[in-house]
Amino acid sequence: MMNKPFRAGVVGATGYTGQEVVRLVRGHPRLQLAFATSESEAGRAAAGNGLRYVRSADAPLAEVDVVFTCLPTGESGPWAVRSAAEGVAAIDLSADLRDGDSGAVYGLPELWREEVRAARLVANPGCYPTGILLGLAPLLGAGLVDRQRAVIVDAASGVTGAGRSARRDLLFGEVAEDYRAYGVGNRHRHVPEIATGLARVAGPTEFVFTPHLLPIRRGILETIYVPVPAGVGAAALASACREAYAGEPFIEVKEELPSVKDVLGRNVVALGFAEVTGLSAGVVLLVAAFDNLLKGAAGQAVQNANLMLGLDEPEGLPL
Amino acid sequence: MMNKPFRAGVVGATGYTGQEVVRLVRGHPRLQLAFATSESEAGRAAAGNGLRYVRSADAPLAEVDVVFTCLPTGESGPWAVRSAAEGVAAIDLSADLRDGDSGAVYGLPELWREEVRAARLVANPGCYPTGILLGLAPLLGAGLVDRQRAVIVDAASGVTGAGRSARRDLLFGEVAEDYRAYGVGNRHRHVPEIATGLARVAGPTEFVFTPHLLPIRRGILETIYVPVPAGVGAAALASACREAYAGEPFIEVKEELPSVKDVLGRNVVALGFAEVTGLSAGVVLLVAAFDNLLKGAAGQAVQNANLMLGLDEPEGLPL
Amino acid sequence: MMNKPFRAGVVGATGYTGQEVVRLVRGHPRLQLAFATSESEAGRAAAGNGLRYVRSADAPLAEVDVVFTCLPTGESGPWAVRSAAEGVAAIDLSADLRDGDSGAVYGLPELWREEVRAARLVANPGCYPTGILLGLAPLLGAGLVDRQRAVIVDAASGVTGAGRSARRDLLFGEVAEDYRAYGVGNRHRHVPEIATGLARVAGPTEFVFTPHLLPIRRGILETIYVPVPAGVGAAALASACREAYAGEPFIEVKEELPSVKDVLGRNVVALGFAEVTGLSAGVVLLVAAFDNLLKGAAGQAVQNANLMLGLDEPEGLPL
Amino acid sequence: MMNKPFRAGVVGATGYTGQEVVRLVRGHPRLQLAFATSESEAGRAAAGNGLRYVRSADAPLAEVDVVFTCLPTGESGPWAVRSAAEGVAAIDLSADLRDGDSGAVYGLPELWREEVRAARLVANPGCYPTGILLGLAPLLGAGLVDRQRAVIVDAASGVTGAGRSARRDLLFGEVAEDYRAYGVGNRHRHVPEIATGLARVAGPTEFVFTPHLLPIRRGILETIYVPVPAGVGAAALASACREAYAGEPFIEVKEELPSVKDVLGRNVVALGFAEVTGLSAGVVLLVAAFDNLLKGAAGQAVQNANLMLGLDEPEGLPL
């Protein structure tokens, strides 16, 4: 006997993350798309199966079991809070609820799974923090990081990470054949989220975070310089991650450093480690690669929804 | 009365650096292209003005004043050494002569101009080292680097930096929509060259160098994490560079961090600095951007040639 | 009770089409990957589930129900012929068997489904011909093409259509920021295949075929100028296609002209039509878009395999 | 004795064509940039030499000899008309004045040079029409086109052709890995301009024009299907072009079909021809390639300015 599907709504369905949530919900064996909102596309067919975009004011919130809010930061969080208050499981994909003030649970299942399972309101992590926290948590937990020195995180993201708003600096004519740093000097809006996450794992941790804009559509690569105590090398760090993530379907600890192409279209974070020679104070290279729209956004949101709804965690997620 | 032009030959003229040297020589007011070699294209017209590619064995070395050798590493250096021995000013663009064993002068004019002026045989610097050495030399010289900690250099290069050989990993289908680290852990062949250069400036200096492959045609961005003594900030580093490079036409110290697009098609290294907040041991961000085929290869080679021939250093070079 | 899966082998599994067949077989509910061959990667893990690449000489042909041959043209066809002779359902993805001399059935299901169902040896169509034949067949069949004038097919393909061999002209540094015609003047190797296909549908049909190389990884767009009899317009052509393809899951007749992005990752051909104003002899624009690696190669191959094995035609194929 | 430079102003200097005009004026031996306007960047440094952007209302029109108007269509033409009325040589790069109603001369020097030389107000041609008119004019003039059949023009342009406005459909995330037709069915705004130009050369001429958007920054390739009378082939067409354009520095008739990469950064239109086999009514392929920002816009504008100011036509233009 087939189980009745859970009904899902997507608020803000035409941005890059919203589109990806819609796609995942459509392919999900236990979820059914009940509505998808768009102010600009309201009334138009929402890619397939008879559904049309509705204005968010017209979204039939009472009819759904779970809602994904994918509006711009500032608008998105309140929608999720209101949904949760009305008894709908709510996952917010914006930055609005990640500071914890709203009572939302921070939805990084591999680190805080049971909290997610019990939650009605989840703040889906930012793309950059997902890789950084998943990569560093086992190392910090196992005492493999030299706390006297800062961790350096040099990160690069495809343009869909910046959203789908019409901005001159995101035009093809500007981005193609270019590469640039932005939000440098620990001024990017993900910095407090990274700091909070690391502190939860292992107390205050110093780091430098430098994001760059890549001329690719999707994917993130984080090259992380981990200061290590004397005598600790790449093998120890890899072992700690393998042990911590044994049985985790969405984390891959690789023999070689992963690249963006290795993870596109899959809801995984791939981690790899490399020794650095010639230093008096040791550094190990950690590279984290993932698809910013999947494990960095929509995929992780569905992973959270699966937990909140009591479904198998990997259901409907591409591996 | 016009001065008689110097005659120039290019050995290995169909790779990316060779093509760029040919283009620069053609547009140079005081150089005249006398021959361009290519084994595979011998006999075919060499883009314009009646010249045809010749086999390197047929290159009329005796007829030229200056030769640029742009063959693959291993083949290129011996050609340059032989040319210099026959009295021709020779600039080798491969990695062959950069270790100094050959007696070649290391051709980084902004740091060692007088040596270049007096040389008959010049090893043109590697692309990555050019930005690193030019960026760090004034800081090391002014005592603005904390020597107890390693400098981290996270670098990214367009594909022409890897040459024009038919390699599967450089196919468009492999590189587009990807980003990856390679030669990590201080194993890249430019590491000894960087180490030697830094040591000449300021004694042995520890660093970590991680290059990445960008899906762009040309351009390099180096994001450098400079450990600084207490109380030293970005402004001091910028000042040191401005002072050191006052009057240098090919170095730009910017108010904002430069991007790849800012320097494409120009023989410059652009440098920018940014403060990093929230650290107990200070780090300043230094970003160096340059066109790998110009200031990172062919442009710098012509700059060296100008010095060796007694011409104005900027002649024939795009700013 | 679950049905026992059919066992599948892939010969030439590391080219772009071979990789895609492997990916589809792995996700297919009724197929199981029994072997994947690669001369260069033999012994290495074949992405996931324990399987390792074997040399084609070691492929256990006797153990499989179906084989996909994805070697370069010249090597691939003989492999398929031999497999079929040994009783294995064989689909050849090269150009070797498309001329019909081998007795292979031309595997374009929407036009010749019953032949495919009965076949043991199938020649999978070329990428360009797939869109042209599917687009034009209903129009020719319904007498909506003016046979006195030639059909003009201006086509553009992503680089994976050219295979994964190390060729200088396919390097990122050559293809990016470029666009070029090749194999023009009806000299491309797909021209006889197109001519044969059109002749089977409606007798000899004159056409001009001009392929171009696009700086994208995958996808084909064919802009086809269809000469129409007086009084015939875009609506009539769209109707003919809608009628001919009613119920076909892999053909979409759109209200608007499709673009490459509309079809990436899906095993469909999307067709759209547009009126052209201001002509004394009418022309209707037909645009066909499809993913060259799916409906143009691997997807269509699996579609053929499904038919040959008596499975549901859409099984395991992304829509 | 050096001649005094002519003073030039650029109205709308931060769009892609405006930037390119500024760059050309700066490198021009006989022009001096007197002002560059930008509403959004007013007060900021205009890349180099001390000049700052001014609002267009503050542009010192009385101080210049020539003005280039590069505003959006609708705003640009009136500026040029007013400038010409005040005695300044004016070249408008928008579509505003191309219909001839304003009394502006259509500035395609290779076809109508003397008119340009005598003009005070010039409408700079659209990018697409430039290649089409230069390619077809000699063929129509020599009677080498079968007037009973329509010419098919299948064209593709890089994104800078669409301007630098913040539009969602021009985002990197939308354009990369895509290819699409737009403005099809002779509905593109360049169609009347093409029709008028062809009519001036050879009377009313039927054609179909289909532009496509390429995922590249700059460059246009036009693949033109020329219907030819019986017995006429590619060689005759190439000869007619070579003869018509003998001595023209900005038109190259090639032995092989040109590609976008062949012309980037140069103010030329490259033309190539190829025979098509297997047709009862002959068609010859004509491919025109050019840089949309140079010979398709800013380069041609400077070429027109040179003529209007009595300078050598190629001065300051890259070949």
Side-chain angles (χ1 to χ4, degrees), chain B residues 224-243:
Chain B
I224 306 179
Y225 301 84
V226 184
V228 289
V232 169
L237 276 62
S239 288
C241 275
R242 281 210 183 83
E243 190 174 327

Side-chain angles (χ1 to χ4, degrees), chain B residues 11-252:
Chain B
V11 179
T14 55
Y16 290 123
T17 52
Q19 286 178 334
E20 198 76 4
V21 172
V22 165
R23 201 178 61 81
L24 289 174
V25 169
R26 285 220 157 109
H28 196 296
R30 298 295 309 282
L31 296 182
Q32 183 180 25
L33 186 63
F35 68 80
T37 83
S38 166
E39 308 311 303
S40 58
E41 308 272 314
R44 300 187 59 170
N49 81 0
L51 204 76
R52 290 184 183 278
Y53 292 114
V54 296
R55 294 183 188 285
S56 53
D58 301 333
L61 202 53
E63 296 177 15
V64 298
D65 303 295
V66 59
V67 70
F68 300 89
T69 54
C70 311
L71 296 170
T73 291
E75 302 170 47
S76 198
W79 247 98
V81 170
R82 185 155 64 83
S83 302
E86 298 188 16
V88 177
I91 298 111
D92 180 43
L93 286 88
S94 81
D96 283 337
L97 309 180
R98 293 180 195 151
D99 61 6
D101 293 350
S102 62
V105 164
Y106 188 70
L108 197 48
E110 288 82 3
L111 298 187
W112 300 293
R113 178 168 285 120
E114 292 315 311
E115 294 187 32
V116 175
R117 229 190 276 275
R120 295 310 288 167
L121 178 62
V122 162
N124 210 56
C127 50
Y128 288 121
T130 292
I132 297 168
L133 297 176
L134 291 176
L136 290 176
L139 314 183
L140 289 162
L144 297 172
V145 181
D146 175 357
R147 310 302 299 261
Q148 301 307 110
R149 292 180 281 156
V151 177
I152 308 280
V153 182
D154 197 282
S157 173
V159 294
T160 52
R164 204 171 167 225
S165 303
R167 283 167 45 184
R168 181 184 266 199
D169 63 330
L170 298 180
L171 292 178
F172 186 94
E174 305 295 301
V175 173
E177 295 292 308
D178 196 18
Y179 182 64
R180 62 172 62 237
Y182 68 97
V184 302
N186 286 353
R187 286 179 197 82
H188 189 277
R189 74 172 181 201
H190 283 167
V191 164
E193 181 182 343
I194 298 165
T196 302
L198 294 177
R200 270 182 80 180
V201 170
T205 303
E206 293 203 350
F207 65 93
V208 183
F209 174 61
T210 314
H212 298 75
L213 184 63
L214 277 173
I216 65 174
R217 295 182 70 241
R218 56 201 281 175
I220 283 181
L221 195 86
E222 296 175 325
T223 302
I224 306 179
Y225 301 84
V226 184
V228 289
V232 169
L237 276 62
S239 288
C241 275
R242 281 210 183 83
E243 190 174 327
Y245 296 130
E248 289 290 352
F250 299 122
I251 301 192
E252 300 177 354

Side-chain angles (χ1 to χ4, degrees), chain D residues 98-111:
Chain D
R98 293 179 194 150
D99 61 5
D101 292 349
S102 62
V105 164
Y106 189 70
L108 198 47
E110 288 82 3
L111 298 187

Side-chain angles (χ1 to χ4, degrees), chain D residues 159-179:
Chain D
V159 293
T160 51
R164 207 173 165 222
S165 304
R167 282 169 44 185
R168 180 182 267 196
D169 62 329
L170 298 179
L171 292 177
F172 186 94
E174 305 295 301
V175 172
E177 294 292 307
D178 195 20
Y179 182 63

